[in-house]
Amino acid sequence: MTRMARAAALVGVLALTVSGCGGVGGGDEGGGGTATSGTLSTMGFGLSDEIATTRVDAFKRDNPDVDLKITEGAFDEQQFLSAVASGNPPDLVYMDRKLIGTYAKRGSIQPLTDCVDKQDVDMGQYRPAAREQVTLDGTVYGIPEFSSVRVVYLNEALLKQAGLSAADVDLANWAGLPALNAKLAKVSDGRLSRIGIDPKIPEFLPMWAKANGVDMLSADGTKANLDDPKVAEALTTGLKLIQDQAGWGKFKSFRDTFDFFGAQNPLAKNQIVAWPMEEWFLNQAAKNSPNAELVVKPFVDRQGKPLTLSSGLGWVVPKGAKNPDAACAFVKKVTATDTWVAAAKARADARKSAGQPFTGVYTGNVAADQRIFDELYQPTGNKRFDDAVATIRSVQDAAFAMPASPAGAEFDKAWTDAVNRVLSGQSQPAEALARAQQEATAALDKASK
Protein backbone atom coordinates (compact mmCIF):
# COMPACT_ATOMS: atom_id res chain seq x y z
CA MET A 1 0.00 0.00 0.00
CA THR A 2 1.29 3.48 -0.77
CA ARG A 3 2.16 5.82 2.05
CA MET A 4 -0.36 8.07 3.70
CA ALA A 5 1.73 11.18 3.16
CA ARG A 6 0.48 11.24 -0.41
CA ALA A 7 -3.02 10.49 0.86
CA ALA A 8 -2.98 13.60 3.01
CA ALA A 9 -1.91 15.78 0.12
CA LEU A 10 -4.71 14.51 -2.07
CA VAL A 11 -7.48 14.47 0.48
CA GLY A 12 -6.72 17.56 2.51
CA VAL A 13 -8.71 19.73 0.13
CA LEU A 14 -11.85 17.63 0.35
CA ALA A 15 -14.78 19.13 2.21
CA LEU A 16 -15.98 17.26 5.25
CA THR A 17 -19.64 17.67 4.29
CA VAL A 18 -20.79 14.41 2.80
CA SER A 19 -24.09 13.04 1.69
CA GLY A 20 -25.57 9.89 3.18
CA CYS A 21 -25.73 6.66 1.29
CA GLY A 22 -29.22 6.55 -0.09
CA GLY A 23 -30.87 3.18 0.00
CA VAL A 24 -33.78 1.43 -1.60
CA GLY A 25 -36.66 0.09 0.40
CA GLY A 26 -35.99 -2.64 2.91
CA GLY A 27 -36.74 -6.19 1.93
CA ASP A 28 -36.02 -9.72 2.97
CA GLU A 29 -32.91 -10.80 4.84
CA GLY A 30 -30.92 -11.36 1.66
CA GLY A 31 -31.31 -7.80 0.43
CA GLY A 32 -34.47 -7.88 -1.70
CA GLY A 33 -36.82 -4.94 -1.86
CA THR A 34 -37.10 -2.78 -4.96
CA ALA A 35 -34.50 -3.75 -7.54
CA THR A 36 -31.87 -1.15 -8.33
CA SER A 37 -30.61 -0.11 -11.74
CA GLY A 38 -27.82 1.76 -13.50
CA THR A 39 -24.08 1.13 -13.48
CA LEU A 40 -22.31 0.01 -10.32
CA SER A 41 -18.50 0.20 -10.30
CA THR A 42 -16.19 -1.26 -7.68
CA MET A 43 -12.53 -1.01 -6.63
CA GLY A 44 -10.34 -3.35 -4.59
CA PHE A 45 -12.39 -6.51 -5.12
CA GLY A 46 -11.91 -9.52 -7.36
CA LEU A 47 -13.71 -12.68 -8.41
CA SER A 48 -10.89 -14.88 -7.17
CA ASP A 49 -12.87 -17.91 -5.99
CA GLU A 50 -16.28 -19.45 -5.48
CA ILE A 51 -16.84 -17.44 -2.30
CA ALA A 52 -16.70 -14.22 -4.31
CA THR A 53 -18.47 -15.41 -7.44
CA THR A 54 -21.39 -17.02 -5.60
CA ARG A 55 -22.15 -13.83 -3.70
CA VAL A 56 -21.79 -11.58 -6.73
CA ASP A 57 -24.04 -13.90 -8.74
CA ALA A 58 -26.66 -13.62 -5.99
CA PHE A 59 -26.65 -9.84 -6.32
CA LYS A 60 -26.87 -10.03 -10.12
CA ARG A 61 -29.80 -12.42 -9.90
CA ASP A 62 -31.74 -10.03 -7.65
CA ASN A 63 -30.70 -6.90 -9.55
CA PRO A 64 -30.74 -7.71 -13.28
CA ASP A 65 -30.98 -4.05 -14.25
CA VAL A 66 -27.65 -3.18 -12.62
CA ASP A 67 -24.62 -3.12 -14.91
CA LEU A 68 -21.97 -4.32 -12.45
CA LYS A 69 -18.41 -3.38 -13.36
CA ILE A 70 -15.84 -5.02 -11.11
CA THR A 71 -12.31 -3.70 -11.48
CA GLU A 72 -10.13 -6.61 -10.43
CA GLY A 73 -7.13 -5.98 -8.22
CA ALA A 74 -6.17 -4.86 -4.73
CA PHE A 75 -7.14 -1.51 -3.27
CA ASP A 76 -4.86 1.24 -4.54
CA GLU A 77 -4.78 4.17 -2.14
CA GLN A 78 -3.40 6.74 -4.54
CA GLN A 79 -5.79 5.74 -7.31
CA PHE A 80 -8.74 5.88 -4.91
CA LEU A 81 -7.88 9.30 -3.51
CA SER A 82 -7.19 10.71 -6.95
CA ALA A 83 -10.58 9.48 -8.14
CA VAL A 84 -12.34 11.05 -5.15
CA ALA A 85 -10.49 14.33 -5.59
CA SER A 86 -11.43 14.43 -9.29
CA GLY A 87 -15.10 13.83 -8.53
CA ASN A 88 -15.23 10.55 -10.45
CA PRO A 89 -14.82 7.76 -7.88
CA PRO A 90 -16.08 4.18 -8.10
CA ASP A 91 -19.42 3.59 -6.41
CA LEU A 92 -18.10 1.02 -3.99
CA VAL A 93 -14.63 0.33 -2.56
CA TYR A 94 -13.30 -2.73 -0.75
CA MET A 95 -10.56 -1.73 1.71
CA ASP A 96 -8.83 -2.67 4.95
CA ARG A 97 -11.09 -1.74 7.85
CA LYS A 98 -8.25 -0.03 9.70
CA LEU A 99 -8.24 2.71 7.02
CA ILE A 100 -11.93 3.53 7.27
CA GLY A 101 -11.69 5.92 10.22
CA THR A 102 -9.09 8.05 8.46
CA TYR A 103 -11.06 8.34 5.24
CA ALA A 104 -14.27 9.01 7.16
CA LYS A 105 -12.68 11.90 9.07
CA ARG A 106 -11.31 13.40 5.87
CA GLY A 107 -14.63 13.21 4.09
CA SER A 108 -13.56 10.89 1.30
CA ILE A 109 -16.19 8.27 2.17
CA GLN A 110 -19.86 8.67 3.02
CA PRO A 111 -21.63 7.77 6.23
CA LEU A 112 -23.92 4.80 5.69
CA THR A 113 -26.66 5.93 8.04
CA ASP A 114 -29.33 6.14 5.34
CA CYS A 115 -28.10 2.93 3.73
CA VAL A 116 -28.40 0.99 6.97
CA ASP A 117 -31.83 2.45 7.72
CA LYS A 118 -33.44 2.18 4.28
CA GLN A 119 -32.04 -1.25 3.44
CA ASP A 120 -32.75 -2.42 7.00
CA VAL A 121 -29.20 -3.71 7.43
CA ASP A 122 -28.87 -5.45 10.78
CA MET A 123 -25.54 -4.16 12.11
CA GLY A 124 -25.99 -6.41 15.14
CA GLN A 125 -25.31 -9.47 12.97
CA TYR A 126 -21.66 -8.47 12.53
CA ARG A 127 -18.94 -9.38 15.01
CA PRO A 128 -18.36 -6.60 17.56
CA ALA A 129 -14.67 -6.19 16.72
CA ALA A 130 -15.48 -5.85 13.02
CA ARG A 131 -18.43 -3.54 13.63
CA GLU A 132 -16.35 -1.23 15.81
CA GLN A 133 -13.72 -0.88 13.10
CA VAL A 134 -16.24 0.56 10.62
CA THR A 135 -17.84 2.94 13.12
CA LEU A 136 -16.36 6.36 13.94
CA ASP A 137 -17.90 8.64 16.56
CA GLY A 138 -21.05 6.53 16.54
CA THR A 139 -21.56 6.73 12.77
CA VAL A 140 -21.28 3.68 10.50
CA TYR A 141 -19.02 4.22 7.48
CA GLY A 142 -18.52 0.67 6.27
CA ILE A 143 -19.97 -2.83 6.16
CA PRO A 144 -17.66 -5.62 7.39
CA GLU A 145 -16.74 -8.64 5.30
CA PHE A 146 -14.56 -11.51 6.57
CA SER A 147 -13.27 -11.71 10.14
CA SER A 148 -9.67 -12.87 10.15
CA VAL A 149 -8.12 -14.00 13.44
CA ARG A 150 -4.65 -15.19 14.37
CA VAL A 151 -3.74 -18.55 15.84
CA VAL A 152 -0.45 -20.37 16.37
CA TYR A 153 0.58 -23.02 13.87
CA LEU A 154 3.02 -25.75 14.90
CA ASN A 155 4.88 -28.33 12.82
CA GLU A 156 4.76 -31.24 15.23
CA ALA A 157 7.06 -33.38 13.09
CA LEU A 158 9.86 -30.86 13.65
CA LEU A 159 8.99 -30.52 17.31
CA LYS A 160 9.40 -34.27 17.70
CA GLN A 161 12.81 -34.11 16.04
CA ALA A 162 13.81 -31.65 18.76
CA GLY A 163 12.46 -33.95 21.45
CA LEU A 164 9.53 -31.66 22.14
CA SER A 165 5.74 -31.65 21.80
CA ALA A 166 3.15 -28.99 21.11
CA ALA A 167 2.66 -28.59 24.85
CA ASP A 168 6.27 -27.40 25.16
CA VAL A 169 5.55 -24.34 23.02
CA ASP A 170 4.42 -21.90 25.69
CA LEU A 171 4.02 -18.42 24.25
CA ALA A 172 2.98 -17.13 27.68
CA ASN A 173 6.54 -17.71 28.93
CA TRP A 174 8.41 -14.92 27.19
CA ALA A 175 11.57 -15.53 29.18
CA GLY A 176 11.74 -19.08 27.85
CA LEU A 177 11.20 -18.23 24.18
CA PRO A 178 14.88 -17.63 23.23
CA ALA A 179 15.93 -21.05 24.55
CA LEU A 180 13.00 -22.74 22.82
CA ASN A 181 13.80 -20.89 19.61
CA ALA A 182 17.43 -22.08 19.78
CA LYS A 183 16.22 -25.69 19.88
CA LEU A 184 13.91 -25.24 16.91
CA ALA A 185 15.72 -22.93 14.51
CA LYS A 186 18.37 -24.15 12.11
CA VAL A 187 21.22 -21.68 11.69
CA SER A 188 24.64 -22.69 10.41
CA ASP A 189 27.54 -20.34 9.60
CA GLY A 190 25.17 -17.39 9.65
CA ARG A 191 22.78 -19.05 7.23
CA LEU A 192 19.17 -19.66 8.21
CA SER A 193 17.58 -22.78 6.75
CA ARG A 194 14.69 -23.27 9.19
CA ILE A 195 12.78 -20.76 11.28
CA GLY A 196 12.14 -21.80 14.85
CA ILE A 197 9.71 -19.18 16.11
CA ASP A 198 8.51 -16.40 13.84
CA PRO A 199 7.00 -13.58 15.95
CA LYS A 200 5.48 -12.01 12.80
CA ILE A 201 6.51 -8.45 13.46
CA PRO A 202 5.90 -5.71 12.50
CA GLU A 203 2.46 -7.05 11.53
CA PHE A 204 1.43 -8.64 14.82
CA LEU A 205 3.05 -6.24 17.30
CA PRO A 206 -0.39 -5.03 18.47
CA MET A 207 -1.21 -8.62 19.50
CA TRP A 208 2.09 -9.08 21.36
CA ALA A 209 1.55 -5.73 23.10
CA LYS A 210 -1.99 -6.70 24.07
CA ALA A 211 -0.62 -9.98 25.43
CA ASN A 212 1.65 -7.86 27.61
CA GLY A 213 -1.30 -5.89 28.96
CA VAL A 214 -1.30 -2.75 26.85
CA ASP A 215 -3.37 -1.37 23.98
CA MET A 216 -1.25 0.53 21.47
CA LEU A 217 -4.22 2.79 20.69
CA SER A 218 -6.98 3.90 23.05
CA ALA A 219 -10.46 2.47 22.61
CA ASP A 220 -11.77 5.73 21.13
CA GLY A 221 -8.93 5.81 18.60
CA THR A 222 -7.58 9.19 19.71
CA LYS A 223 -4.62 8.44 22.02
CA ALA A 224 -1.44 6.54 21.21
CA ASN A 225 0.27 4.41 23.84
CA LEU A 226 3.35 3.53 21.81
CA ASP A 227 5.84 4.74 24.42
CA ASP A 228 4.44 2.43 27.10
CA PRO A 229 7.34 0.25 28.34
CA LYS A 230 5.17 -2.82 27.80
CA VAL A 231 5.10 -2.13 24.05
CA ALA A 232 8.89 -1.84 24.04
CA GLU A 233 9.12 -5.12 25.95
CA ALA A 234 6.92 -6.83 23.39
CA LEU A 235 9.02 -5.47 20.53
CA THR A 236 12.25 -6.45 22.26
CA THR A 237 10.96 -9.99 22.73
CA GLY A 238 10.20 -10.38 19.02
CA LEU A 239 13.44 -8.68 18.02
CA LYS A 240 15.50 -11.15 20.07
CA LEU A 241 13.90 -14.12 18.32
CA ILE A 242 14.77 -12.67 14.93
CA GLN A 243 18.29 -11.60 15.85
CA ASP A 244 19.02 -15.14 17.01
CA GLN A 245 18.02 -16.42 13.57
CA ALA A 246 20.75 -14.73 11.52
CA GLY A 247 19.29 -11.23 11.85
CA TRP A 248 16.47 -9.40 10.12
CA GLY A 249 17.96 -9.25 6.62
CA LYS A 250 18.56 -12.99 6.29
CA PHE A 251 15.46 -13.87 8.28
CA LYS A 252 13.20 -11.79 6.03
CA SER A 253 14.88 -12.97 2.84
CA PHE A 254 14.33 -16.59 3.83
CA ARG A 255 10.74 -16.00 4.89
CA ASP A 256 9.97 -14.13 1.67
CA THR A 257 10.59 -17.34 -0.28
CA PHE A 258 7.66 -19.09 1.41
CA ASP A 259 4.61 -20.03 -0.67
CA PHE A 260 1.78 -20.26 1.82
CA PHE A 261 -0.77 -20.94 -0.93
CA GLY A 262 0.81 -23.96 -2.61
CA ALA A 263 1.78 -27.57 -2.09
CA GLN A 264 5.34 -26.41 -1.43
CA ASN A 265 4.30 -24.31 1.56
CA PRO A 266 6.72 -23.93 4.50
CA LEU A 267 4.79 -26.49 6.55
CA ALA A 268 5.20 -29.13 3.86
CA LYS A 269 8.85 -28.20 3.26
CA ASN A 270 9.69 -28.16 6.99
CA GLN A 271 10.93 -24.58 6.77
CA ILE A 272 9.30 -23.32 9.95
CA VAL A 273 8.28 -24.77 13.30
CA ALA A 274 6.07 -22.27 15.16
CA TRP A 275 4.37 -19.11 13.97
CA PRO A 276 1.23 -17.04 14.54
CA MET A 277 -0.81 -16.50 11.40
CA GLU A 278 -4.31 -15.80 10.14
CA GLU A 279 -6.86 -18.60 10.18
CA TRP A 280 -6.99 -18.78 6.39
CA PHE A 281 -3.79 -20.82 6.31
CA LEU A 282 -5.68 -23.78 7.75
CA ASN A 283 -7.80 -23.82 4.61
CA GLN A 284 -4.66 -23.83 2.47
CA ALA A 285 -2.99 -26.52 4.57
CA ALA A 286 -6.06 -28.76 4.35
CA LYS A 287 -6.08 -28.30 0.59
CA ASN A 288 -2.35 -28.63 -0.10
CA SER A 289 -0.80 -30.46 2.87
CA PRO A 290 -3.48 -32.74 4.32
CA ASN A 291 -0.93 -35.20 5.71
CA ALA A 292 1.24 -32.64 7.50
CA GLU A 293 1.67 -33.02 11.25
CA LEU A 294 -0.01 -29.71 11.99
CA VAL A 295 -1.14 -28.55 15.41
CA VAL A 296 -3.05 -25.29 15.91
CA LYS A 297 -3.12 -23.59 19.30
CA PRO A 298 -4.53 -20.26 20.48
CA PHE A 299 -2.20 -17.32 20.80
CA VAL A 300 -2.16 -16.41 24.51
CA ASP A 301 -1.37 -13.51 26.78
CA ARG A 302 1.29 -13.72 29.48
CA GLN A 303 -1.21 -15.28 31.85
CA GLY A 304 -1.94 -18.03 29.34
CA LYS A 305 -5.41 -16.78 28.38
CA PRO A 306 -6.43 -17.04 24.69
CA LEU A 307 -6.07 -13.81 22.77
CA THR A 308 -6.31 -12.96 19.11
CA LEU A 309 -6.17 -9.96 16.81
CA SER A 310 -9.10 -9.56 14.43
CA SER A 311 -8.86 -7.76 11.13
CA GLY A 312 -10.44 -7.75 7.72
CA LEU A 313 -11.82 -5.67 4.92
CA GLY A 314 -15.01 -3.73 4.54
CA TRP A 315 -17.14 -2.00 1.94
CA VAL A 316 -17.35 1.79 1.78
CA VAL A 317 -19.13 4.25 -0.51
CA PRO A 318 -16.87 7.12 -1.64
CA LYS A 319 -17.87 10.75 -1.67
CA GLY A 320 -19.28 11.52 -5.11
CA ALA A 321 -20.42 7.97 -5.87
CA LYS A 322 -22.90 8.05 -8.75
CA ASN A 323 -25.01 5.08 -7.69
CA PRO A 324 -25.09 4.80 -3.89
CA ASP A 325 -28.46 3.01 -4.03
CA ALA A 326 -27.01 0.08 -5.94
CA ALA A 327 -23.87 0.15 -3.78
CA CYS A 328 -25.99 -0.16 -0.68
CA ALA A 329 -28.04 -3.02 -2.12
CA PHE A 330 -24.83 -4.79 -3.11
CA VAL A 331 -23.17 -4.64 0.32
CA LYS A 332 -26.31 -5.83 2.03
CA LYS A 333 -26.64 -8.78 -0.32
CA VAL A 334 -23.05 -9.98 -0.30
CA THR A 335 -22.76 -9.84 3.51
CA ALA A 336 -26.20 -11.28 4.29
CA THR A 337 -26.49 -14.56 6.16
CA ASP A 338 -28.18 -16.51 3.36
CA THR A 339 -25.62 -15.31 0.83
CA TRP A 340 -22.67 -16.32 3.00
CA VAL A 341 -24.19 -19.75 3.55
CA ALA A 342 -24.67 -20.22 -0.20
CA ALA A 343 -21.05 -19.25 -0.80
CA ALA A 344 -19.82 -21.60 1.90
CA LYS A 345 -21.88 -24.40 0.36
CA ALA A 346 -20.21 -23.74 -3.00
CA ARG A 347 -16.82 -24.01 -1.28
CA ALA A 348 -17.82 -27.21 0.54
CA ASP A 349 -19.13 -28.78 -2.68
CA ALA A 350 -15.98 -27.83 -4.56
CA ARG A 351 -13.78 -29.36 -1.88
CA LYS A 352 -15.87 -32.53 -1.80
CA SER A 353 -15.61 -32.92 -5.57
CA ALA A 354 -11.85 -32.54 -5.35
CA GLY A 355 -11.59 -35.02 -2.49
CA GLN A 356 -10.34 -32.29 -0.15
CA PRO A 357 -11.50 -31.38 3.36
CA PHE A 358 -13.73 -28.37 4.01
CA THR A 359 -12.55 -26.43 7.07
CA GLY A 360 -15.25 -23.78 7.13
CA VAL A 361 -15.60 -20.13 6.18
CA TYR A 362 -15.07 -17.40 8.77
CA THR A 363 -17.04 -14.25 8.09
CA GLY A 364 -17.77 -11.03 9.90
CA ASN A 365 -21.39 -12.18 10.24
CA VAL A 366 -22.02 -14.15 13.45
CA ALA A 367 -25.32 -15.62 12.28
CA ALA A 368 -23.76 -16.76 9.00
CA ASP A 369 -20.89 -18.51 10.76
CA GLN A 370 -23.32 -20.28 13.07
CA ARG A 371 -25.29 -21.64 10.14
CA ILE A 372 -22.18 -22.56 8.17
CA PHE A 373 -20.87 -24.72 10.99
CA ASP A 374 -24.29 -26.07 11.96
CA GLU A 375 -25.48 -26.94 8.46
CA LEU A 376 -22.45 -27.40 6.22
CA TYR A 377 -19.34 -28.20 8.19
CA GLN A 378 -18.62 -31.83 8.97
CA PRO A 379 -15.56 -33.20 10.74
CA THR A 380 -12.91 -34.11 8.20
CA GLY A 381 -11.89 -37.31 9.97
CA ASN A 382 -8.41 -35.84 10.35
CA LYS A 383 -8.15 -35.04 14.05
CA ARG A 384 -5.48 -32.42 13.46
CA PHE A 385 -7.69 -30.35 11.20
CA ASP A 386 -10.84 -30.97 13.22
CA ASP A 387 -9.09 -29.77 16.39
CA ALA A 388 -7.74 -26.77 14.49
CA VAL A 389 -11.24 -25.75 13.38
CA ALA A 390 -12.44 -25.98 16.98
CA THR A 391 -9.52 -23.83 18.11
CA ILE A 392 -10.21 -21.13 15.54
CA ARG A 393 -13.89 -21.02 16.42
CA SER A 394 -13.07 -20.82 20.12
CA VAL A 395 -10.90 -17.72 19.80
CA GLN A 396 -13.36 -15.66 17.75
CA ASP A 397 -14.94 -14.34 20.93
CA ALA A 398 -11.50 -13.51 22.38
CA ALA A 399 -10.73 -11.22 19.45
CA PHE A 400 -9.84 -7.57 19.65
CA ALA A 401 -9.28 -5.16 16.77
CA MET A 402 -7.40 -1.94 16.35
CA PRO A 403 -10.04 0.74 17.00
CA ALA A 404 -11.41 3.02 14.32
CA SER A 405 -9.40 6.22 14.44
CA PRO A 406 -9.56 9.57 12.66
CA ALA A 407 -5.83 9.11 11.96
CA GLY A 408 -5.69 5.34 11.82
CA ALA A 409 -3.52 5.20 8.72
CA GLU A 410 -1.01 7.70 10.10
CA PHE A 411 -0.93 5.86 13.43
CA ASP A 412 -0.31 2.57 11.65
CA LYS A 413 2.53 4.10 9.65
CA ALA A 414 4.15 5.60 12.75
CA TRP A 415 4.48 2.35 14.67
CA THR A 416 5.26 0.21 11.63
CA ASP A 417 8.09 2.54 10.64
CA ALA A 418 9.37 2.38 14.21
CA VAL A 419 9.51 -1.41 14.17
CA ASN A 420 11.25 -1.41 10.81
CA ARG A 421 13.90 0.98 12.14
CA VAL A 422 14.50 -1.40 15.02
CA LEU A 423 14.64 -4.49 12.82
CA SER A 424 17.12 -2.85 10.46
CA GLY A 425 19.38 -1.84 13.35
CA GLN A 426 18.81 1.89 12.99
CA SER A 427 17.25 2.36 16.41
CA GLN A 428 16.59 0.69 19.76
CA PRO A 429 13.00 -0.26 20.69
CA ALA A 430 12.32 2.41 23.33
CA GLU A 431 13.89 5.16 21.23
CA ALA A 432 12.03 4.16 18.06
CA LEU A 433 8.70 3.90 19.86
CA ALA A 434 9.18 7.27 21.58
CA ARG A 435 9.59 8.87 18.16
CA ALA A 436 6.56 6.97 16.88
CA GLN A 437 4.56 8.21 19.87
CA GLN A 438 5.34 11.82 18.93
CA GLU A 439 4.46 11.26 15.28
CA ALA A 440 1.24 9.41 16.08
CA THR A 441 0.16 11.93 18.71
CA ALA A 442 0.66 14.83 16.32
CA ALA A 443 -1.46 13.09 13.67
CA LEU A 444 -4.17 12.09 16.13
CA ASP A 445 -4.38 15.55 17.71
CA LYS A 446 -4.65 17.18 14.29
CA ALA A 447 -7.32 14.75 13.11
CA SER A 448 -9.34 15.07 16.33
CA LYS A 449 -9.77 18.83 16.06
Side-chain angles (χ1 to χ4, degrees), residues 1 5 12 16 23 39 47 58 138 163 180 184 208 247 255 257 272 277 325 340 371 385 446:
M1 184 174 292
L16 292 179
T39 298
L47 301 175
L180 175 63
L184 301 178
W208 287 95
R255 189 174 66 182
T257 66
I272 189 169
M277 194 171 185
D325 287 0
W340 275 122
R371 284 189 54 192
F385 288 102
K446 182 178 179 180

Side-chain angles (χ1 to χ4, degrees), residues 155-163 184 194 270-273:
N155 185 328
E156 195 168 37
L158 294 179
L159 286 170
K160 290 175 182 177
Q161 288 182 19
L184 301 178
R194 185 174 75 206
N270 289 325
Q271 294 174 311
I272 189 169
V273 185

